[in-house]
Structure formats: C-alpha cells, structure tokens
C-alpha cells in the first residue's frame, strides 16, 4: 500500500499531482463556499415556493404570493392613463385640431406623447426624425400624397394604404414597361421630362417627346401640371422630394416596373386618442431636428 506523501515544508499531504517539481497540496474547500452554496439553494427553494417559477405547458406555477409582473405593469399603465386623462388628454379628445394647435401649453404634452407614439410605431419606416428613406415618404417635407390637413392625415393613419382594412386607401402606379404599355425609348423620354420638372437638365428634344408621352399616359393621376392628386395618392412631380429616388435609374425603374406603397392601418392597434395625438405630431412636423 502506497504511503501518503507529505510536503516537507508545510507537513500537509499532497494530491500526487506534480508539475515541474511543484507538488499540489491536498487543500480542503473553504467552509464559506459551502455556506454560500447552501444559502443559494435555500434562496432558490424559497423563490420557487413564493413566486411564479415553473412553466407547465400553457401556464406556470403561480407561487404563494400570486405576484405577477404583467398585472403590475397593467395597473401602472392604467394609472398613468387616468392621470393623463385628468390632466390634458380629456381636453384633446373633445377639441378640434385647430384649437389644439392654437394652445401652446396644451401642445407641449401633446407633441411629447405624439413623438413617443411615432417612435414606437412609425420610425421603423419613416425614421426617428420622420425624414423617410427609399420607399418611405419624408413627412417633414409637406409633400403630401393623400392631403396634409389633420383630418386627411388621421384617415391615412387609421385605414392605411393598400392595407387589410376594408376602407384602406388604394394606390398603385402602372408598370408601363413591364406590361408593354410604353417602349424603352418612350420611357427614357418621359423620365427625362419628369426629371426636368424638378430642375434636372436634359436633352430638349427628349424633354419635348417625354412631355407628349406624359400627356398621353400620366396626367390621369399626376394631373396636367404634374402636381399630383390627393384623391389617388399620386405624388407631386414638380418638387424636389422623391420617394424612390430622383436619379435617372430610380425614375426609370418606377416608370418601367410601377410602384405600390404599403402602410399598415393603425385603427385596431391605436386608440382614437392615440391616433389624434399622432396626427397632431405629424401635422406639426417642421423638418427641424427632433
């Protein structure tokens, strides 16, 4: 039987492990480690008994305290809504848009609440500053597709554009090239003409030819003056704001392949008060940093 090996300096037994002449001592685990391990296990057992803990398929153990974070948050939100309603929200619900915007003291909480709603629900498409991006309108430009009056903005928010709402706004630009309505040369000419409306330079002959193509195919939606139509959501082609880009390739793609924007309807997700707050916020955007 092999005898225990002891360290010559400390007199303690070794584990038999050796590395480069250094032997590992047989050192017991400190008692404090066992203490905290036991305390942790005891704490876990208490939590399992007192608080919601274990999943049980479609439900979970409720615990003796019945504590539910979801109920707590629901109560806090309801309390905040009640406090807000007593302070100013009740007034907003009954006032007209003109009266709301004419009240500076009221506009401060309205715009703060509206911005929160915008960031939470709209910024993913329109951006935090509402300046839009490729395929999404710049809401600070005041170049409205469906009208910039508060009532028109409210309706757009509620029913959406090409959404699943029964009353959705419907808008689609034809695919003039893909569907064979216009030849490539005609598309190039009308692109040159359309870009010239917002100040882009182009060949005079192409502009004249494009004007004829525009008159024959585009005025039904964009109007004789190319200022667009709020009735069908057709954009103003004479300003400098482009939803899908104003370079030659982007405009050509729009004419050739057509466009169909989409905006979800919010009437089922947002309350009438929230829609009104969001409407005021969007209507009063001025392009300044938010």
């Amino acid at each position: 039987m092999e005898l225990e090996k002891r360290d010559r300096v400390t007199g303690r037994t070794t584990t038999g492990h050796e590395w480069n002449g250094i032997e590992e001592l047989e050192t017991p685990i400190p008692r404090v480690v066992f203490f905290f391990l036991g305390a942790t296990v005891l704490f876990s057992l208490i939590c399992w008994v007192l608080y919601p803990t274990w999943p049980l398929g479609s439900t979970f153990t409720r615990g003796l305290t019945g504590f539910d974070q979801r109920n707590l948050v629901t109560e806090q939100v309801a309390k905040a809504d009640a406090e807000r309603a007593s302070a100013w929200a009740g007034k907003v619900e009954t006032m007209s848009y003109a009266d709301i915007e004419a009240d500076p003291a009221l506009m401060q909480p309205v715009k703060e609440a509206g911005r929160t709603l915008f960031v939470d629900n709209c910024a993913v498409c329109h951006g935090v500053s509402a300046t839009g991006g490729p395929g999404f309108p710049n809401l600070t430009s005041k170049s409205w597709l469906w009208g910039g009056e508060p009532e028109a903005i409210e309706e757009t928010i509620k029913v959406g554009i090409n959404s699943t709402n029964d009353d959705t706004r419907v808008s689609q630009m034809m695919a003039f090239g893909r569907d064979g309505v216009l030849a490539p040369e005609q598309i190039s000419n009308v692109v040159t003409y359309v870009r010239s409306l917002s100040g882009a330079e182009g060949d005079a002959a192409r502009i004249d030819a494009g004007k004829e193509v525009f008159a024959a195919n585009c005025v039904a939606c964009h109007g004789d003056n190319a200022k667009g139509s709020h009735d069908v959501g057709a954009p103003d082609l004479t300003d400098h704001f482009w939803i899908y880009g104003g370079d030659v390739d982007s405009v050509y793609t729009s004419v050739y392949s057509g466009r169909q924007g989409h905006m979800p309807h919010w009437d089922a997700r947002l309350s009438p008060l929230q829609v009104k707050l969001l409407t005021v916020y969007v209507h009063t955007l001025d392009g300044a940093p938010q």
Side-chain angles (χ1 to χ4, degrees), residues 26-43:
E26 182 75 55
T27 304
I29 299 174
R31 293 180 179 275
V32 67
V33 173
F34 290 106
F35 171 79
F36 282 110
L37 180 61
T40 301
V41 172
L42 180 61
F43 179 78

Side-chain angles (χ1 to χ4, degrees), residues 2-290:
E2 185 177 354
L3 297 176
E4 290 182 340
K5 192 172 183 179
R6 292 183 175 274
D7 179 60
R8 290 181 302 172
V9 177
T10 63
R12 295 168 61 179
T13 59
T14 67
T15 64
H17 299 157
E18 180 183 339
W19 182 82
N20 200 24
I22 301 174
E23 295 183 335
E24 180 182 3
L25 297 179
E26 182 75 55
T27 304
I29 299 174
R31 293 180 179 275
V32 67
V33 173
F34 290 106
F35 171 79
F36 282 110
L37 180 61
T40 301
V41 172
L42 180 61
F43 179 78
S44 300
L45 291 173
I46 293 174
C47 286
W48 291 347
V49 173
L50 295 180
Y51 297 102
T53 308
W54 294 101
L56 300 173
S58 60
T59 184
F60 53 90
T61 58
R62 304 292 175 175
L64 297 179
T65 63
F67 179 80
D68 192 330
Q69 190 70 36
R70 180 180 299 176
N71 292 339
L72 179 62
V73 172
T74 300
E75 292 174 2
Q76 291 175 340
V77 170
K79 182 180 178 181
D81 288 342
E83 291 176 351
R84 183 174 64 180
S86 63
W88 53 267
K91 294 174 59 179
V92 172
E93 290 179 318
T94 59
M95 293 173 65
S96 68
Y97 285 111
D99 290 340
I100 294 172
E101 294 181 15
D103 188 336
L106 183 59
M107 279 296 292
Q108 182 175 352
V110 166
K111 293 192 73 171
E112 289 176 356
R115 173 168 169 73
T116 299
L117 288 167
F118 186 90
V119 171
D120 289 346
N121 299 281
C122 314
V124 66
C125 292
H126 294 285
V128 174
S129 298
T131 52
F136 302 103
N138 180 348
L139 302 180
T140 69
S141 68
K142 304 303 180 182
S143 182
W144 303 101
L145 296 178
W146 298 92
E149 302 79 12
E151 292 75 15
I153 297 173
E154 176 185 337
E155 183 68 10
T156 302
I157 293 172
K158 288 168 61 177
V159 304
I161 301 169
N162 296 320
S163 73
T164 56
N165 187 284
D166 292 337
D167 299 318
T168 183
R169 298 189 184 279
V170 178
S171 178
Q172 181 170 0
M173 178 177 171
M174 292 176 55
F176 288 94
R178 187 186 64 207
D179 293 343
V181 179
L182 297 177
E185 182 70 14
Q186 290 176 302
I187 295 177
S188 295
N189 290 338
V190 78
V191 166
T192 303
Y193 170 69
V194 168
R195 295 185 71 247
S196 74
L197 295 175
S198 57
E201 296 183 357
D203 181 77
R206 281 189 173 276
I207 291 176
D208 289 340
K211 186 175 182 179
E212 295 180 5
V213 176
F214 186 90
N217 297 274
C218 311
V219 297
C221 293
H222 293 284
D224 294 327
N225 58 4
K227 291 287 187 181
S229 171
H230 294 163
D231 292 335
V232 294
D236 183 347
L237 302 178
T238 65
D239 57 23
H240 298 278
F241 300 103
W242 300 90
I243 299 176
Y244 296 95
D247 58 280
V248 174
D249 290 341
S250 296
V251 179
Y252 190 97
T253 299
S254 294
V255 178
Y256 183 90
S257 301
R259 299 290 187 183
Q260 184 181 34
H262 172 76
M263 173 180 166
H265 62 94
W266 297 95
D267 59 341
R269 177 169 178 174
L270 300 179
S271 67
L273 173 61
Q274 290 174 318
V275 170
K276 197 167 188 178
L277 294 171
L278 192 53
T279 297
V280 174
Y281 177 76
V282 172
H283 182 246
T284 54
L285 286 170
D286 57 6
Q290 300 298 309

